[in-house]
C-alpha cells in the first residue's frame, strides 16, 4: 500500500488503495515483492542493531573507559547515525527490488515482455531474483543503488528518531528502582519510537519510492533533487505526506516486535554467558 500510494497514480487515499489493489489483483496483490525482504530481514536487522549497540559500547569505552556504562545522548545519536549509514548499503537493493515488483500491475507473462517490454501494464520482471539480475545487467551497480541519496536522507535522521525516542521512552516507562525495563515497557517504547520515526521519514520515503519505481517503464527523474522539484511542481507539498498513515500505523507493531526481540535476545545471551562463566 505504501509504495502504491507514494509512487503510483489514481489510488487516492488508503482505503481506496486497498479496494483498488484487491479488486484488480486479489489478495496476492498485497504480498508482491515480499520474498526479497523476507530473505534479508534477519541479516539487515542484526547488522543495524549490532552496529548501533557496538558503536554505543565503543563510544562509552572511549569516553569513560567502561563499555557497559549508560551512554549519553550524543553517543546514542552518533550510534544511530552509524546504523543509518550501514542500513543504506544493505537496504537500498532490497527496497529497489521490492518496489519494482510492487509497481507491476499484472502477473508476469513472457509473451508480454517480448512484445512490449516497456509499456505500462506489461510486467518486466518474473520475480525477485530475475528483477535483481535484470537491473544489474541493464543499469549496473548504479541501478541497484538507485535512490541511495534519498535513502540516506531518510535513514540517517530516521534512525536517530528511532533509537533516541526508544531510549527516552524506555527509561520513562520503567519504574524507579528497576534494574532493566520490563517487556511491556520495551514493547510500548519500541512502538512509539517506530511510529515517530516512520511518520517523520515519510517525505524522503516518498522521494525514495518514486526514484526506485522510476525505470520500470520510464525514466522520469534525473536524481533526488529533480524528483523533489518535479513532485512538488506537479502535486504540491501534500505529495510528500503520501502514505504517512500507513507508515505510522505499521511502524508501531513492527518496531515493538523488533525491539522486544532484540532486548529479550540480549538478556538470554547474557544469562547464558553468566551460567557458562560464573
Amino acid at each position: 500500500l505504501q509504495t502504491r500510494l507514494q509512487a503510483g497514480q489514481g489510488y487516492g487515499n488508503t482505503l481506496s488503495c486497498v479496494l483498488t489493489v484487491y479488486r484488480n489483483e486479489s489478495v496476492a496483490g498485497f504480498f508482491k515483492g515480499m520474498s526479497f525482504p523476507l530473505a534479508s530481514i534477519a541479516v539487515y536487522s542484526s547488522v543495524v542493531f549490532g552496529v548501533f549497540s557496538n558503536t554505543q559500547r565503543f563510544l562509552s569505552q572511549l569516553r569513560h573507559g567502561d563499555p557497559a556504562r549508560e551512554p549519553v545522548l550524543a553517543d546514542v545519536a552518533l550510534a544511530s547515525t552509524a546504523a543509518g549509514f550501514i542500513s543504506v548499503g544493505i537496504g537500498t537493493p532490497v527496497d529497489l527490488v521490492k518496489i519494482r515488483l510492487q509497481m507491476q500491475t499484472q502477473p508476469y507473462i513472457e509473451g508480454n515482455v517480448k512484445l512490449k517490454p516497456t509499456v505500462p501494464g506489461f510486467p518486466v520482471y518474473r520475480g525477485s531474483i530475475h528483477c535483481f539480475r535484470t537491473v544489474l545487467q541493464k543499469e549496473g551497480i548504479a541501478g541497484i543503488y538507485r535512490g541511495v541519496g534519498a535513502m540516506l536522507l531518510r535513514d540517517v535522521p530516521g534512525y536517530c528518531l528511532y533509537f533516541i525516542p526508544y531510549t527516552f521512552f524506555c527509561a520513562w516507562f520503567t519504574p524507579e528502582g528497576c534494574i532493566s525495563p520490563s517487556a511491556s515497557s520495551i514493547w510500548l517504547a519500541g512502538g512509539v519510537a517506530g511510529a515517530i520515526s516512520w511518520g517523520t521519514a515519510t517525505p524522503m520515503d516518498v522521494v525514495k519510492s518514486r526514484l526506485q519505481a522510476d525505470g520500470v517503464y520510464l525514466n522520469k527523474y534525473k536524481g533526488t533533487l529533480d524528483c523533489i522539484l518535479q513532485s512538488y511542481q506537479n502535486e504540491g507539498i501534500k505529495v510528500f505526506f503520501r502514505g504517512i498513515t500507513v507508515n505510522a500505523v505499521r511502524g508501531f507493531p513492527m518496531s515493538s516486535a523488533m525491539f522486544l526481540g532484540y532486548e529479550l535476545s540480549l538478556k538470554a545471551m547474557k544469562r547464558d554467558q553468566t551460567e557458562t562463566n560464573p
Side-chain angles (χ1 to χ4, degrees):
L1 295 180
Q2 169 224 9
T3 301
R4 300 292 181 89
L5 286 167
Q6 292 178 345
Q9 298 293 329
Y11 288 104
N13 56 31
T14 304
L15 179 59
S16 172
C17 185
V18 171
L19 296 175
T20 302
V21 171
Y22 180 75
R23 184 167 54 248
N24 294 338
E25 304 167 57
S26 74
V27 175
F30 297 105
F31 295 92
K32 281 189 175 179
M34 189 177 68
S35 59
F36 224 45
L38 271 179
S40 60
I41 187 64
V43 173
Y44 177 84
S45 299
S46 62
V47 169
V48 168
F49 277 84
V51 168
F52 172 73
S53 59
N54 283 299
T55 303
Q56 275 193 330
R57 289 173 62 82
F58 171 75
L59 292 171
S60 293
Q61 173 70 43
L62 200 64
R63 192 187 296 272
H64 307 292
D66 180 10
R69 184 161 177 172
E70 192 73 21
V72 297
L73 182 61
D75 292 349
V76 178
L78 283 172
S80 302
T81 301
F85 271 103
I86 295 299
S87 74
V88 171
I90 304 171
T92 303
V94 174
D95 268 18
L96 180 122
V97 170
K98 178 192 73 171
I99 286 172
R100 291 286 177 96
L101 290 172
Q102 287 174 343
M103 291 308 293
Q104 295 188 129
T105 56
Q106 296 178 2
Y108 173 82
I109 301 172
E110 184 128 6
N112 287 346
V113 176
K114 289 180 179 178
L115 291 171
K116 296 181 180 180
T118 58
V119 176
F122 289 88
V124 180
Y125 312 115
R126 288 194 293 268
S128 297
I129 301 300
H130 180 254
C131 177
F132 184 87
R133 191 171 64 243
T134 301
V135 174
L136 189 61
Q137 288 172 348
K138 291 185 177 180
E139 305 173 50
I141 296 296
I144 290 296
Y145 280 90
R146 187 178 180 85
V148 68
M151 197 158 180
L152 274 170
L153 292 172
R154 184 197 74 170
D155 281 9
V156 172
Y159 272 110
C160 287
L161 291 171
Y162 189 61
F163 288 114
I164 292 174
Y166 170 72
T167 303
F168 171 77
F169 284 114
C170 213
W172 192 33
F173 295 146
T174 302
E176 288 186 19
C178 291
I179 299 174
S180 61
S182 64
S184 59
S185 296
I186 295 168
W187 180 87
L188 187 56
V192 173
I196 291 171
S197 176
W198 274 105
T200 54
T202 297
M204 289 314 302
D205 195 39
V206 171
V207 176
K208 180 200 73 74
S209 294
R210 290 188 163 210
L211 284 168
Q212 292 184 325
D214 191 39
V216 177
Y217 302 114
L218 303 168
N219 285 298
K220 185 178 178 182
Y221 307 114
K222 297 176 184 177
T224 302
L225 182 58
D226 184 51
C227 181
I228 293 171
L229 293 174
Q230 283 198 49
S231 298
Y232 177 73
Q233 288 168 358
N234 295 332
E235 300 168 69
I237 194 71
K238 66 180 181 180
V239 69
F240 299 109
F241 297 93
R242 281 190 178 184
I244 190 169
T245 303
V246 174
N247 271 345
V249 168
R250 78 163 185 173
F252 192 99
M254 182 176 72
S255 300
S256 293
M258 195 81 75
F259 275 109
L260 188 59
Y262 169 71
E263 295 287 5
L264 292 180
S265 297
L266 280 183
K267 286 182 181 179
M269 286 187 285
K270 287 177 181 177
R271 185 168 59 249
D272 289 343
Q273 287 177 350
T274 303
E275 291 173 357
T276 306
N277 303 302

